Amino acid sequence: YISSLKAIYNSASPFHTKMPVELLMLVFRYLRPTSIRHIRLTHVCRLWRTLIRQTPEFWRDILSDSRLLEHPLYAVECVTLSAPLPFGLEVHGMPQLSIVFDFPSSARLSSLTVHIDDEQHVFSLLHLFLPSLESLKVISRDGVYIEVDPAPPFPLAPCSDRLPRLHSIEIIGCSFLPAHVSHTLKNVTLREVDILGNTLVERLEEC
C-alpha cells in the first residue's frame, strides 16, 4: 500500500508531468554510467525504471565497469538490456571468461580485455568464436610473464573464422601466437612480449 502511494506521488511530480518522456529518455541515453552502482537510478521510481530499461545505451555503458562480472546475474541482465548495441567487457581470469562463453548475446561483443594467469587461459582464448569482436587485449596478471607453446595442443579453426572482424590486438606480458593472426588485423601492439618463431613473422606479413 505504501509503495503504491509513493508511485502515485512520484508520477504526479511536476518533473514528470512537465518533462516529455522522450526528453527524459534522451537524458538517460547520454548519462554514460561507468559503474554498476549507477543501476540504483532504476530505483528512483517506476517511470525511471521503465524508461532506463528501454535505453540500451545506459546498459552498454555500465558494461564498461571492470567489476561487473563479479556479479554474473547483473552482468547477464546488463548484456540483455544493451541489445541491439555492440558492447565491450573486461574479464579477470578463467571463471569470468567462462561466463563470457555462456553469454546468450556474445555475438554482439565488439571489444574484449582479458587478464590471464597462465598458459591454459591463453589456449581458452583461442576457442572463442566472436563474430563481432573488433578489439582484443590480453594482459598477464600480476606482471608475471607467461610463455606459451606456439603450437596449441588441439585442432584450431583459422582466426579469420573464429574472429572474422578482429582488426586490433594488444598483448602485454605473454607470448604472441601465430594463431592470434588474421588477415583482418590492422593494428598489433606488443608490450613485454617474446615473438615466437618465423611462422609468426610470416603470418604478420600476410596481413
Side-chain angles (χ1 to χ4, degrees):
Y1 177 75
I2 293 178
S3 62
S4 297
L5 287 177
K6 287 183 177 179
I8 294 172
Y9 176 81
N10 287 334
S11 64
S13 165
F15 180 83
H16 292 148
T17 57
K18 295 182 179 180
M19 176 176 284
V21 170
E22 295 79 8
L23 182 57
L24 190 55
M25 286 193 73
L26 192 62
V27 170
F28 294 141
R29 187 173 300 161
Y30 288 99
L31 275 180
R32 300 197 180 281
T34 57
S35 169
I36 189 175
R37 291 176 298 177
H38 293 137
I39 291 178
R40 287 182 291 187
L41 287 171
T42 64
H43 302 162
V44 171
C45 66
R46 289 181 181 177
L47 177 62
W48 281 36
R49 177 178 176 81
T50 299
L51 295 181
I52 289 175
R53 289 181 66 87
Q54 296 173 5
T55 307
E57 291 86 356
F58 180 91
W59 303 98
R60 175 202 60 194
D61 293 340
I62 282 184
L63 288 167
S64 66
D65 187 347
S66 62
R67 299 165 297 176
L68 183 64
L69 286 172
E70 297 173 7
H71 311 277
L73 294 180
Y74 277 132
V76 170
E77 182 176 23
C78 288
V79 168
T80 301
L81 292 173
S82 70
L85 301 177
F87 64 94
L89 286 176
E90 184 166 354
V91 175
H92 294 263
M94 191 58 204
Q96 291 189 3
L97 188 59
S98 298
I99 296 173
V100 176
F101 281 132
D102 296 333
F103 270 161
S105 303
S106 60
R108 290 189 289 110
L109 185 61
S110 63
S111 174
L112 178 63
T113 297
V114 185
H115 299 260
I116 60 174
D117 294 308
D118 56 39
E119 181 182 50
Q120 292 306 313
H121 291 175
V122 178
F123 288 150
S124 296
L125 285 175
L126 299 178
H127 284 296
L128 288 175
F129 280 81
L130 299 172
S132 298
L133 191 71
E134 298 179 353
S135 175
L136 174 63
K137 185 175 184 178
V138 182
I139 306 171
S140 171
R141 295 173 73 178
D142 302 322
V144 178
Y145 184 76
I146 299 174
E147 185 169 350
V148 184
D149 187 332
F154 46 77
L156 194 63
C159 185
S160 56
D161 292 344
R162 292 177 284 113
L163 308 171
R165 295 188 181 181
L166 184 67
H167 64 67
S168 178
I169 187 167
E170 182 175 358
I171 307 292
I172 303 175
C174 71
S175 301
F176 182 54
L177 304 181
H180 285 128
V181 180
S182 166
H183 69 275
T184 59
L185 275 179
K186 296 180 180 178
N187 302 296
V188 178
T189 303
L190 307 178
R191 294 163 52 192
E192 304 170 27
V193 169
D194 284 343
I195 298 178
L196 298 175
N198 294 328
T199 303
L200 177 55
V201 176
E202 293 171 357
R203 292 289 300 274
L204 285 173
E205 289 176 346
E206 295 173 2
C207 294

